[in-house]
Amino acid sequence: MSEVLLVEKLDGHIAKLTINRPDKLNALNAEVRGAIFRALDDLAGDDDVRVLVITGAGDKAFIAGADISEFKDARPVEQYRSMQRGSIYAAIQNFPKPVIAMINGFCLGGGCELAMSCDMRVASTRAKIGQPEINLGLIPGAGGTQRLPRLVGEGWAMRLIMSGELISGQKAAEIGLVEVAVEPEDLEAHVMELAGNIGARSPMALQAAKESIQAARRMPLDEGLRFERSWFALLFSTDDMAEGVDAFLEKRKAEFTGS
Ligand code: COA
């Protein structure tokens, strides 16, 4: 376990990753990115984990963006290659289990892009969220121009990216950048209840749901419907589906084993 990233396994098939550089507002440097890659790789193969929560250490920041000190003297070709080599954003999007961003404070630049790579987002009402790269003479480089308009529409994406303005968690919920904003003192309990609820489900069904919903972004409707139907039929091969149906008919709670 690297100390810039805390990895915890909690009851209810939940794993929690905490970016742990609170003195730098949890800015993402190469060490954190490497630790996230390794943790995702381990947790993807850990059958006991069915849902992942990502958050930031301390009460001030989720992630205040890429570590800007790494931009000083960075050259375009190396920058392009390092971003092409592998991205934590793609690794989160393609992680085979649901991922929830628990946004507890500043969620800026690469932090906002990381949150948008997650499957769900819950924010503290007092979080500050935005894409302030324009202040550095930059634009978002980890999906902000692509994922933000898909979530909030083109106008809000233009406004946030071009002005660098930060919005509250409350406002982010109003425009659809996060699904829910809750009072800071309720954030952890809200997210853990959601994660526990999801973690009690069949992991194969969760993966099928994630892949099928993501397919809606890139497939025309008829292709997406076919993709969904294939997953639906495939799930009839799982013990979990048999258990879910039996449990319903026997009026008891299903116990999913992941097989
Ligand atoms: N990269 C590197 N270091 C960062 C950082 C980042 N993205 N964001 C914050 N930090 C560091 C600060 O340099 C400071 O370090 P220091 O104590 O060694 O000087 C520490 O975190 C605390 O930040 P500070 O600026 O003192 O806190 P603040 O409450 O006054 O301001 C912010 C908070 C978030 C408004 C401000 O830190 C900020 O604008 N950060 C950059 C955000 C950004 O542009 N992100 C996108 C990058 S592409």
Side-chain angles (χ1 to χ4, degrees), residues 21-25 27 60 64-69 71 106 108-110 132-133 135-136 138 166:
R21 295 183 77 208
D23 55 325
K24 296 290 177 191
L25 304 187
K60 206 171 162 191
D67 191 317
I68 297 171
S69 63
F71 291 176
F106 284 114
L108 308 179
E133 291 89 343
N135 298 330
L136 305 173
L138 280 170
L166 308 186

Side-chain angles (χ1 to χ4, degrees), residues 51-92:
V51 56
L52 178 62
V53 173
I54 302 183
T55 194
D59 56 7
K60 206 171 162 191
F62 172 66
I63 300 166
D67 191 317
I68 297 171
S69 63
E70 290 185 346
F71 291 176
K72 182 96 178 113
D73 302 326
R75 294 162 56 88
V77 173
E78 281 85 55
Q79 183 66 26
Y80 186 80
R81 286 195 183 134
S82 82
M83 290 172 83
Q84 203 185 26
R85 236 188 331 266
S87 109
I88 51 171
Y89 309 91
I92 291 169

Side-chain angles (χ1 to χ4, degrees), residues 19 26 28 33 36 54 62-68 71 79 83 87-94 99-101 103 105-121 128-134 136 138-149 151 157 160-161 166 177-178 214 217:
I19 319 293
N26 304 318
L28 298 171
R33 289 194 297 272
I36 292 176
I54 302 183
F62 172 66
I63 300 166
D67 191 317
I68 297 171
F71 291 176
Q79 183 66 26
M83 290 172 83
S87 109
I88 51 171
Y89 309 91
I92 291 169
Q93 179 178 307
N94 298 327
V99 186
I100 305 170
I103 303 170
F106 284 114
C107 174
L108 308 179
C112 186
E113 290 168 304
L114 188 144
M116 290 191 289
S117 305
C118 295
D119 302 310
M120 288 156 270
R121 286 154 289 281
K128 291 274 177 233
I129 306 179
Q131 298 282 171
E133 291 89 343
I134 203 83
L136 305 173
L138 280 170
I139 62 168
T145 65
Q146 303 304 302
R147 291 194 175 97
L148 191 55
L151 281 171
L160 292 172
I161 290 171
L166 308 186
L177 177 44
V178 304
Q214 286 185 346
R217 287 186 210 151

